[in-house]
Amino acid sequence: MAFWLLFVAGAAVLCGVKAADQTLEIDLKGPIMDISPMLWGIFFEEINHAGDGGLYAEMVQNRAFEDLSNVPENISQYKSLLPTDLMSTDNEVFVRHCDFQGYATPISTDLDCRDSSFALVKGLDGKNGTISFLSLNFPNFYLLSKDMRMVLALIDGSKSFVDGASFYQRPGLSDSSMTSFESAFMSGYFLAVNNSCTGSCSKTNGWPQCFDAVIMKSPNSSHATFSIRPSNAVLTATTWLPIGSAAIHTETMNPFSKTSPRYGVVTASQANAGLSNSGYWGMNLGKGKKYNLRFFARSTGSSSAPSVVAMLQSMDGSMTYSVCSEFGAIGGSWKNYSCQMTSNTTDSNSRLSIVLTSPGSVALDMVSLMPDALPNGYPFRQDLLDALQAMKPAFVRFPGGTYIDGMTLDKAFLWKKTVGPYWERPGHDNAVWGYWSDDGLGYYEYLVLCEMLNAKPVWVINNGISVREEVPTVEIEPWVQDALDSIEFANGPDSSQWGSVRASMGHREPFNMTYMAIGNENCGHKTYLGNYAAFYKAIKTKYPYMQLIANCDLTHHNPPATTEIWDFHIYTSLEDFINRVHIWDSYDRSGPKVFNSEYATTRGAGKGNVIAAAAEAAWMTGLERNSDVVVMASYAPLFVNDNNRRWNPDAIVFNSSVWYGTPSYWNQVKWSVELSSSLSTFLIKR
């Protein structure tokens, strides 16, 4: 009661009324309204490194070497040779990865690699070194030499390479070592740069200021790999750094995992050279705490099998806190290696190092470091899990948000690729929020999280719509089946196809999921109404108990569609929240229910302040007063890693070692913890 009296006094002040002029009357005999027991929950989206580098306890960033925005093809050893303007944060580019088997791949099937702003490599003739480019609809294409020191070619986008190439040499460098494009290309790696400016492009020290970049690996056979970098990745960013004389690159031939085929190769010309990983802005180690290291490795090359040593070290490598040297010689076949490491100190800014004890070359994949102390053995960071448990959420909406959509459909959250052993999960480019997701925090882990929080899962599925693409309703059936399979995974018996996968992961009993949202903010897309109707019919036919959430009230659309619950989002200012407090008072009680799954004060809120929380509290009074129609609500976003803010403000701020709740977080805790089952009326009199 004290909280409510305090809030009412605060609301009066916001309205410009003096507290001394007020009389508060509570009518205990008046009408009492039941409050929805599902009213206050949380919305978890993979944004701001909420999962990777946050709640998910993996300490190694890019453990599978699949993130080409952080481990470019053989570029780390040449990084210092790149011009400073090329390394600036303004030069950000798109990532695609294409493997061409032979030369006969039809261009129409290269859906994962096709983009209007890029050239597609048709193929490479290993004998004469010729190469052709397709769809050159940008002004110019720059090709840099293997050593990154000069531009070999400036290709006119209106012509083919053969008849339209002109060579553009970086000022002050000789081209004597690179007499022909063909011989240079066949000798190794290139950095190709797409000038994305319209018209002429200004230059700094002879280099174009605006361009996109592509790392291209010249193959030794008919298998060619071309990797186009992402728009949100800084070219020089890296998670794996060489130690000593080591060189690092990635390969895909003879992989450990067919679903995650890229792996790292470290080559040491001297002993005690290798590579390091500092995780997500420094690994947090505690004195006496244990950490479990696991990786897959094989030796490469013709030299004798080298041995490796793993160490937990200070960021600069000057201090070593734990050593594992029990792996023995690394053989020529992929093998799982593991050991437990105990830190002898506390350091929130440390790294993992793996070095070779003799010259040689080792392939590494799925390098994982996890705290030994995990809640019930599940891969969650304990202190951040505690922060969620304090909120006592009635539900968890997951995993997005726009994260579920993806910038393109191949970058959407595709749940079947996120279940099973972590080393079989390919991960995906979270291009919407600007970083790679290992998908260790997958569909199964989200369901487990809900169970640990004693909260009902609200699973948001992709309905064939991304930010840039959408599947026509006539072709939506595979996406509908994918949604049905996800329900079977969560709720089906362990004898069913997908229920058995769940059981194999350690959860024989069903999760009893009853809520599913069909898409996220997709009502503006032309295919949404038809897609939604197809999902609704199929799901209700097979699973009539599922409560389905639309992205808007579709009962007023033409044609109308059955809507049980619809999703409402609002990000606004203090004044607007107060002005809108009563908007639900007049809502049609015979209409569909409402889920206010995203709301926050975003104007005048800074990185989170008391005024923002007060505005949200005012808004929440209207939600609670109308919880007969607004049945669920959740603040957004939930988490932000302070090193990677993609959105402000957020409820929980953290780094590798500590966290704090903003005023909005504590406001959410207060409302959820003190949720009543009913609401009495009260009156403020002057």
Side-chain angles (χ1 to χ4, degrees):
M1 179 62 72
F3 169 71
W4 297 111
L5 292 175
L6 180 62
F7 173 78
V8 170
V13 171
L14 287 173
C15 295
V17 180
K18 295 181 179 180
D21 297 333
Q22 309 306 305
T23 300
L24 175 63
E25 294 184 0
I26 300 177
D27 183 8
L28 296 178
K29 295 182 180 180
I32 296 177
M33 185 193 73
D34 291 336
I35 298 175
S36 169
M38 289 284 290
L39 185 55
W40 308 126
I42 60 176
F43 165 42
F44 186 101
E45 179 168 19
E46 181 58 274
I47 179 178
N48 303 321
H49 279 279
D52 288 289
L55 182 63
Y56 185 56
E58 177 60 70
M59 299 171 68
V60 175
Q61 186 174 1
N62 195 18
R63 64 186 177 191
F65 297 88
E66 293 291 336
D67 180 6
L68 294 180
S69 67
N70 285 319
V71 182
E73 299 254 5
N74 207 33
I75 195 175
S76 61
Q77 59 185 305
Y78 302 122
K79 182 175 62 175
S80 62
L81 300 177
L82 294 174
T84 55
D85 54 307
L86 181 61
M87 293 190 289
S88 73
T89 57
D90 293 329
N91 298 309
E92 296 179 344
V93 288
F94 272 108
V95 153
R96 298 292 168 87
H97 174 63
C98 317
D99 286 333
F100 296 94
Q101 304 288 343
Y103 313 125
T105 306
I107 199 68
S108 61
T109 65
D110 297 334
L111 298 179
D112 291 340
C113 310
R114 186 168 57 197
D115 191 285
S116 61
S117 62
F118 291 104
L120 291 175
V121 180
K122 183 179 181 181
L124 179 67
D125 183 338
K127 294 181 180 180
N128 59 29
T130 59
I131 189 169
S132 60
F133 296 89
L134 304 179
S135 303
L136 288 174
N137 59 350
F138 43 77
N140 295 299
F141 192 89
Y142 295 88
L143 186 67
L144 275 67
S145 63
K146 176 183 176 182
D147 63 0
M148 310 294 173
R149 288 181 179 272
M150 71 175 67
V151 174
L152 295 178
L154 172 59
I155 304 170
D156 186 337
S158 64
K159 304 176 183 179
S160 68
F161 174 79
V162 175
D163 62 13
S166 61
F167 285 78
Y168 170 79
Q169 182 178 321
R170 184 184 178 190
L173 291 179
S174 169
D175 62 354
S176 59
S177 61
M178 295 290 180
T179 56
S180 70
F181 163 71
E182 288 82 7
S183 62
F185 186 85
M186 290 305 296
S187 68
Y189 292 79
F190 287 84
L191 175 67
V193 185
N194 164 20
N195 174 6
S196 59
C197 299
T198 57
S200 62
C201 187
S202 60
K203 299 180 176 66
T204 300
N205 297 326
W207 287 85
Q209 289 183 316
C210 43
F211 38 73
D212 297 332
V214 179
I215 302 296
M216 302 199 306
K217 176 186 177 183
S218 174
N220 295 321
S221 64
S222 61
H223 183 275
T225 300
F226 302 91
S227 304
I228 305 176
R229 309 184 54 73
S231 61
N232 39 42
V234 179
L235 185 63
T236 56
T238 183
T239 50
W240 292 99
L241 293 173
I243 298 174
S245 64
I248 308 167
H249 69 279
T250 64
E251 294 183 6
T252 57
M253 299 296 289
N254 186 21
F256 160 71
S257 171
K258 292 182 179 179
T259 55
S260 181
R262 189 169 299 278
Y263 55 89
V265 177
V266 55
T267 301
S269 59
Q270 300 174 350
N272 299 317
L275 73 175
S276 69
N277 188 295
S278 58
Y280 297 89
W281 301 280
M283 294 182 177
N284 180 47
L285 301 177
K287 184 175 182 179
K289 298 292 181 64
K290 299 180 184 298
Y291 303 89
N292 295 321
L293 173 66
R294 182 177 187 175
F295 59 89
F296 296 86
R298 64 175 174 85
S299 61
T300 65
S302 58
S303 59
S304 59
S307 297
V308 301
V309 173
M311 296 172 285
L312 299 180
Q313 296 184 311
S314 59
M315 185 61 74
D316 61 3
S318 62
M319 294 180 287
T320 298
Y321 309 138
S322 183
V323 177
C324 260
S325 56
E326 57 203 53
F327 306 112
I330 305 297
S333 300
W334 287 106
K335 181 181 176 181
N336 177 24
Y337 297 86
S338 63
C339 94
Q340 188 170 86
M341 312 179 78
T342 303
S343 176
N344 63 14
T345 192
T346 295
D347 185 349
S348 61
N349 192 35
S350 59
R351 74 183 194 185
L352 169 69
S353 300
I354 300 177
V355 299
L356 281 64
T357 59
S358 60
S361 182
V362 170
L364 295 167
D365 205 357
M366 298 296 171
V367 183
S368 173
L369 185 70
M370 287 267 194
D372 182 59
L374 294 172
N376 298 333
Y378 290 113
F380 302 121
R381 181 171 147 178
Q382 183 68 67
D383 60 336
L384 298 185
L385 180 64
D386 292 342
L388 298 184
Q389 289 175 327
M391 299 179 76
K392 297 189 181 300
F395 64 85
V396 179
R397 177 182 183 241
F398 69 90
T402 314
Y403 177 69
I404 192 69
D405 299 330
M407 192 64 71
T408 52
L409 288 171
D410 62 320
K411 293 176 173 60
F413 182 85
L414 305 176
W415 74 269
K416 288 178 181 176
K417 295 183 177 182
T418 74
V419 298
Y422 72 84
W423 54 84
E424 294 180 359
R425 306 182 190 187
H428 75 285
D429 178 14
N430 179 11
V432 169
W433 299 120
Y435 55 92
W436 182 265
S437 176
D438 281 329
D439 287 333
L441 188 59
Y443 181 44
Y444 174 80
E445 285 75 21
Y446 283 116
L447 291 169
V448 168
L449 175 65
C450 295
E451 187 173 73
M452 296 182 73
L453 296 175
N454 195 28
K456 292 188 178 297
V458 180
W459 163 224
V460 186
I461 52 100
N462 187 296
N463 69 109
I465 296 176
S466 70
V467 173
R468 296 176 177 171
E469 303 168 332
E470 48 193 297
V471 177
T473 300
V474 294
E475 301 173 10
I476 202 62
E477 192 280 330
W479 296 81
V480 173
Q481 186 60 52
D482 198 65
L484 294 172
D485 291 343
S486 75
I487 300 173
E488 182 177 277
F489 179 92
N491 298 346
D494 58 13
S495 58
S496 63
Q497 178 184 356
W498 289 104
S500 65
V501 176
R502 181 197 69 238
S504 70
M505 297 180 70
H507 204 286
R508 297 185 65 87
E509 297 301 316
F511 285 104
N512 299 317
M513 180 177 70
T514 59
Y515 289 90
M516 174 182 282
I518 301 174
N520 169 75
E521 296 182 350
N522 296 147
C523 277
H525 291 263
K526 63 182 180 181
T527 63
Y528 181 70
L529 183 60
N531 290 3
Y532 170 86
F535 276 81
Y536 187 92
K537 179 180 179 180
I539 294 170
K540 280 295 188 178
T541 298
K542 189 169 184 179
Y543 301 105
Y545 61 83
M546 290 296 297
Q547 298 187 62
L548 303 179
I549 302 167
N551 290 177
C552 55
D553 184 356
L554 297 172
T555 59
H556 303 296
H557 282 237
N558 185 23
T562 302
T563 308
E564 299 173 336
I565 308 172
W566 63 279
D567 196 1
F568 177 79
H569 299 174
I570 179 171
Y571 296 98
T572 188
S573 65
L574 162 69
E575 295 79 11
D576 192 45
F577 263 139
I578 293 176
N579 291 335
R580 290 171 175 251
V581 163
H582 295 283
I583 68 170
W584 302 109
D585 296 353
S586 57
Y587 183 80
D588 184 359
R589 263 50 189 173
S590 65
K593 304 298 184 183
V594 179
F595 179 17
N596 185 192
S597 71
E598 298 183 33
Y599 66 89
T601 310
T602 53
R603 297 202 290 273
K607 293 183 179 180
N609 56 37
V610 174
I611 291 178
E616 291 147 10
W619 173 253
M620 293 166 77
T621 63
L623 301 182
E624 185 181 61
R625 188 174 62 254
N626 292 281
S627 69
D628 57 324
V629 290
V630 184
V631 293
M632 296 187 290
S634 49
Y635 176 92
L638 183 61
F639 281 118
V640 59
N641 188 310
D642 200 36
N643 296 285
N644 191 255
R645 286 181 177 268
R646 303 282 170 160
W647 187 286
N648 279 313
D650 308 270
I652 299 169
V653 183
F654 66 91
N655 58 24
S656 68
S657 58
V658 296
W659 71 275
Y660 69 86
T662 62
S664 293
Y665 167 79
W666 294 108
N667 178 54
Q668 295 294 319
V669 170
K670 198 69 176 178
W671 283 81
S672 185
V673 169
E674 298 194 5
L675 177 68
S676 302
S677 60
S678 60
L679 182 66
S680 299
T681 59
F682 63 84
L683 178 65
I684 300 178
K685 290 185 177 180
R686 290 182 182 273

